[in-house]
Structures are given as C-alpha cells and as structure tokens.
C-alpha cells in the first residue's frame, strides 16, 4: 500500500497536478518493524516521490506502545524528510508531555468528535481545545469525517487548517481523481 501510494502520488505530479501530500496509515505492527525506515526509503526510491510529500499516520495507541522506540523511529523518519501525524487524536491515552516530545507535524481529530459538533457542546469544546493546543505546538490540524457545512464552518472558526470527509467527496478510485 505504501509503495502504491507513493507511485500514484508521483504519477499525479507527472500528469501536471499540483504537488499533493499523500498520507498512509501505518499499523502498530508496521510502525514497530525494525526495517520500517528502509521499507519507506525503498517505496520512495521506487516511486521517485519527494519524501516531504509523504505523511505517515499512526494512532495515539501506536505512539504510546514503546515511547523510547517511538521517538527514535519518528526522529529517523523526520530525518528522511517524511511528515508524521497522530491519527484519531483524542481517542487514545496519550500524555500531553509525550505529545510535546514527539517529532510530529500534525494531529488528525477523530471523526467521532466532528460528528458531535452540531449536537454536543462537549465535542465542540474538545475540538476547540485540541486545535488551540496543536496550534500552540506548531502542529497542523486535520479534522476527519466532515460531512456538513455546519461542521466545516465550526472547524474554520476554530482555526482548523485541513478537513476531510464526505462533504468534499466520497472515496473514489485513484484514476477517477
């Protein structure tokens, strides 16, 4: 999947599309693999994709599995020029101290909170706090699962920089993009 994502992103660039960042979720097992940096370099080399256009996403739970190893792996990936994001942010058990120390570029707010924007003040408060915290740490914020204009407007009003979800498009095949 990683190799195919890199190849496809490079093909889009060759077709005169703007340079777009491609994000790939890593499973806990993949992230803990000893050869992860080598496997990623292999995918980048095979595709010719600029490492800065690849973002790897791991969940909070994955990041918390082995803190020392996590930070070492993250630093190595960042040295390669790869971007890192914590996916499904807010659903795990991360300590803010760890978040502060992880060499990451962004957080992705879990769609469960986004779904509740229109009905629960607590979800709006959590999202506002996460966005403010992330911006204070110079992290990019992406909201997942945006399905309505009202959700998007709330996220914009809080300073959320990126959003994804059915409001923009249902999943489609890469050739249809």
């Amino acid at each position: 999947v990683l190799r195919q994502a890199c190849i496809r992103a490079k093909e889009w660039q060759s077709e005169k599309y703007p340079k777009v960042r491609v994000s790939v979720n890593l499973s806990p097992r993949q992230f803990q693999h000893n050869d992860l940096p080598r496997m990623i370099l292999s995918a980048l080399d095979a595709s010719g994709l600029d490492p800065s256009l690849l973002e790897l996403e791991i969940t909070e739970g994955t990041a918390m599995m082995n803190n020392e190893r996590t930070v070492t792996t993250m630093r190595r990936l960042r040295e390669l020029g790869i971007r890192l994001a914590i996916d499904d942010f807010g659903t795990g058990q991360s300590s803010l101290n760890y978040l502060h120390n992880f060499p990451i570029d962004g957080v992705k707010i879990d769609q469960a909170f986004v779904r509740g924007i229109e009905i629960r003040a607590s979800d709006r408060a959590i999202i506002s706090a996460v966005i403010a915290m992330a911006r204070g740490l110079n992290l990019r914020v992406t909201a997942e699962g945006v399905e309505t204009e009202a959700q998007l407007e709330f996220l914009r009003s809080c300073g959320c920089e990126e959003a994804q979800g059915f409001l923009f498009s249902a999943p489609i095949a890469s050739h249809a993009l």
Side-chain angles (χ1 to χ4, degrees):
V1 170
L2 175 66
R3 183 178 299 268
Q4 287 303 311
C6 291
I7 288 170
R8 191 62 185 138
K10 185 64 177 177
E11 287 172 355
W12 286 328
Q13 289 175 21
S14 299
E15 295 168 4
K16 307 291 188 263
Y17 290 103
K19 290 184 178 180
V20 294
R21 184 179 68 246
V22 63
S23 296
V24 177
N25 292 65
L26 294 179
S27 71
R29 187 173 186 188
Q30 286 173 308
F31 188 74
Q32 297 297 323
H33 198 282
N34 288 333
D35 284 342
L36 179 64
R38 186 191 58 74
M39 291 187 301
I40 293 168
L41 276 175
S42 175
L44 289 168
D45 288 344
S47 67
L49 183 68
D50 181 333
S52 69
L53 297 175
L54 174 62
E55 179 172 80
L56 300 175
E57 299 177 9
I58 62 170
T59 62
E60 284 181 84
T62 300
M64 301 303 293
M65 287 175 73
N66 182 340
N67 285 335
E68 202 171 297
R69 183 177 183 155
T70 294
V71 171
T72 299
T73 300
M74 286 179 163
R75 284 188 180 137
R76 176 69 182 119
L77 295 172
R78 288 290 301 278
E79 288 169 5
L80 298 174
I82 296 163
R83 297 172 180 246
L84 300 168
I86 301 292
D87 194 18
D88 299 333
F89 189 78
T91 61
Q93 304 174 36
S94 69
S95 159
L96 295 180
N97 182 49
Y98 291 134
L99 183 62
H100 173 72
N101 290 320
F102 286 154
I104 59 174
D105 299 285
V107 295
K108 296 184 79 174
I109 299 172
D110 188 77
Q111 63 186 340
F113 298 112
V114 174
R115 276 192 219 115
I117 285 173
E118 296 174 80
I119 53 177
R120 286 186 294 280
S122 60
D123 286 342
R124 291 189 298 275
I126 289 168
I127 288 172
S128 297
V130 168
I131 292 170
M133 177 201 60
R135 291 178 65 85
L137 294 171
N138 295 316
L139 300 174
R140 189 185 66 261
V141 181
T142 305
E144 297 180 307
V146 177
E147 297 180 355
T148 70
E149 288 289 340
Q151 292 169 340
L152 181 59
E153 274 311 304
F154 176 78
L155 292 163
R156 281 182 175 152
S157 74
C158 294
C160 185
E161 297 141 308
E162 296 180 349
Q164 63 186 56
F166 287 130
L167 177 63
F168 309 105
S169 176
I172 60 173
S174 64
H175 68 276
L177 183 63

